[in-house]
């Protein structure tokens, strides 16, 4: 099939990436807040943004969620939910001191990295945590073993690493990084530390990897790639970078369709479209409608993986939901 046949009508098309949008960890975290609001009633306090997406946060605020930065802002005895990005042990201790009912919505894949950090620290390893300084996930993981963990923020940081014993060092990573950049960082580290060990299984989550992979597949055909996602969403920002690295002529991150600049589309024939792992699909549909109004009505979905993974709700919430159901019956 020729390109002219694929781009029927206006000669303009959209390559719609799949997988895109919500991952299992985000779906679980958002559902945790929604179910807590139904069960306990408003307000429900959430420490930090439950996931890094403006629309999701605003929607939950409208339902009665109150987002705070720290436990100190939560009234004593109230319910607080910890975000999908994970928290350090001291945050749990602070919650206990204030008699807060804490519900931990940390993504299970982030919890896996926390457990790895604790295990390697218990075995007295130096742990090189590849991630972005200041990111909530990095802060939470580092808090599990602060005396053993040092941050490596990209390949350029690798040359400054020092360890106690080069034969007893392991790398772990933030779950939402660029796969290629992480591999480059590891390669740089291994030049200096040939005995550097890898985590038992990939730390970069399946959803991050899958979304980057499909963007690589479509990028070279795209005049512009639009990623729906918030600027504080690490995995969304990475998708723009991956698109550009893989051959897209331009790449842009938007929260909403109205943020698209028509100048981006002026000379475009093929637009790539995807969304970060914390983005509800309704926002992507709004972008598709926006593009269709500008002649990009031919949409081809490019599928590289089918995701079926789901995570159950936090145990403390499930327990209370079960008790409430029993009381009603």
């Amino acid at each position: 099939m020729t390109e002219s046949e694929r781009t029927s009508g206006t000669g303009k098309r959209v390559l719609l990436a799949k997988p895109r949008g919500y991952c299992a960890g985000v779906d679980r975290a958002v559902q945790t807040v929604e179910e807590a609001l139904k069960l306990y009633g408003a307000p429900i306090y959430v420490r930090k943004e439950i996931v890094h997406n403006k629309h999701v946060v605003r929607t939950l605020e409208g339902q009665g969620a109150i987002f705070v930065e720290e436990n100190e802002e939560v009234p004593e005895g109230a319910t607080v939910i910890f975000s999908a990005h994970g928290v350090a042990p001291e945050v749990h201790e602070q919650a206990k001191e204030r008699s807060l009912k804490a519900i931990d919505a940390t993504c299970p894949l982030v919890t896996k990295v926390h457990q790895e950090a604790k295990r390697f620290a218990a075995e007295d390893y130096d742990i090189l945590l590849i991630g972005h300084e200041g990111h909530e996930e990095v802060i939470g993981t580092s808090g599990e073993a602060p005396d053993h963990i040092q941050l490596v923020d990209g390949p350029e940081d690798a040359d400054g690493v020092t360890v106690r014993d080069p034969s007893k060092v392991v790398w772990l990573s933030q779950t939402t990084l660029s796969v290629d950049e992480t591999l480059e960082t590891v390669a740089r580290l291994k030049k200096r530390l040939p005995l550097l060990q890898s985590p038992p299984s990939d730390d970069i989550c399946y959803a991050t990897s899958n979304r980057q992979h499909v963007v690589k597949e479509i990028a070279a055909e795209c005049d512009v790639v639009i990623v729906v996602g918030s600027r504080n969403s690490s995995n969304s920002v990475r998708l723009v970078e991956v698109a550009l690295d893989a051959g897209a002529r331009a790449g842009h991150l938007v929260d909403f369709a109205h943020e698209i600049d028509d100048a981006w589309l002026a000379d475009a024939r093929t637009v790539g479209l995807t969304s970060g792992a914390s983005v509800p699909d309704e926002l992507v549909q709004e972008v598709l409608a926006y593009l269709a109004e500008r002649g990009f009505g031919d949409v081809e979905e490019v599928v590289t993986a089918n995701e079926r993974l789901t995570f159950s709700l936090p145990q403390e919430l499930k327990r209370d939901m079960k008790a409430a159901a029993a009381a009603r019956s």
Side-chain angles (χ1 to χ4, degrees), residues 136-215:
E136 286 164 43
E137 184 184 326
V138 165
I139 293 168
T141 302
S142 297
E144 295 287 359
D147 295 335
H148 290 263
I149 290 178
Q150 56 182 302
L151 181 65
V152 183
D153 194 344
E156 64 284 354
D157 262 13
D159 296 338
V161 166
T162 58
V163 298
R164 294 169 298 158
D165 181 351
S167 69
K168 208 167 185 183
V169 57
V170 63
W171 69 269
L172 304 176
S173 82
Q174 182 181 328
T175 63
T176 54
L177 299 181
S178 158
V179 175
D180 291 340
E181 184 177 321
T182 301
L183 291 175
E184 182 185 347
T185 303
V186 172
R188 286 274 287 271
L189 286 169
K190 285 191 171 179
K191 283 183 180 178
R192 299 189 61 241
L193 301 163
L195 299 178
L196 177 68
Q197 294 187 37
S198 300
S201 61
D202 251 348
D203 282 348
I204 295 178
C205 89
Y206 76 95
T208 298
S209 300
N210 286 347
R211 280 149 190 72
Q212 290 177 16
H213 178 68
V214 67
V215 165

Side-chain angles (χ1 to χ4, degrees), residues 265-324:
L265 310 175
D267 299 316
R269 290 174 61 81
T270 300
V271 174
L273 178 60
T274 189
S275 57
S278 50
V279 178
D281 205 53
E282 65 192 87
L283 299 183
V284 175
Q285 298 306 316
E286 289 172 7
V287 171
L288 284 173
Y290 182 98
L291 292 172
E293 289 172 0
R294 286 150 181 80
F296 293 86
D298 186 359
V299 179
E300 176 187 342
E301 190 168 57
V302 179
V303 183
T304 58
N306 289 301
E307 296 177 349
R308 297 184 176 87
L309 183 66
T310 59
F311 294 131
S312 62
L313 293 171
Q315 288 298 324
E316 53 271 46
L317 179 59
K318 284 171 61 179
R319 184 173 57 245
D320 286 356
M321 289 170 68
K322 186 176 180 181

Side-chain angles (χ1 to χ4, degrees), residues 222-234:
C222 296
D223 298 301
V224 58
V225 171
I226 295 172
V227 178
V228 184
S230 295
R231 298 199 175 278
N232 63 339
S233 166
S234 176

Side-chain angles (χ1 to χ4, degrees), residues 46-49 66-74 91 94 136:
V46 184
R47 184 184 178 276
K48 308 290 187 183
E49 292 186 354
I66 297 176
F67 291 86
V68 300
E69 284 299 303
E70 298 297 344
N71 288 335
E72 287 76 9
E73 300 170 62
V74 182
V91 175
Q94 291 165 357
E136 286 164 43

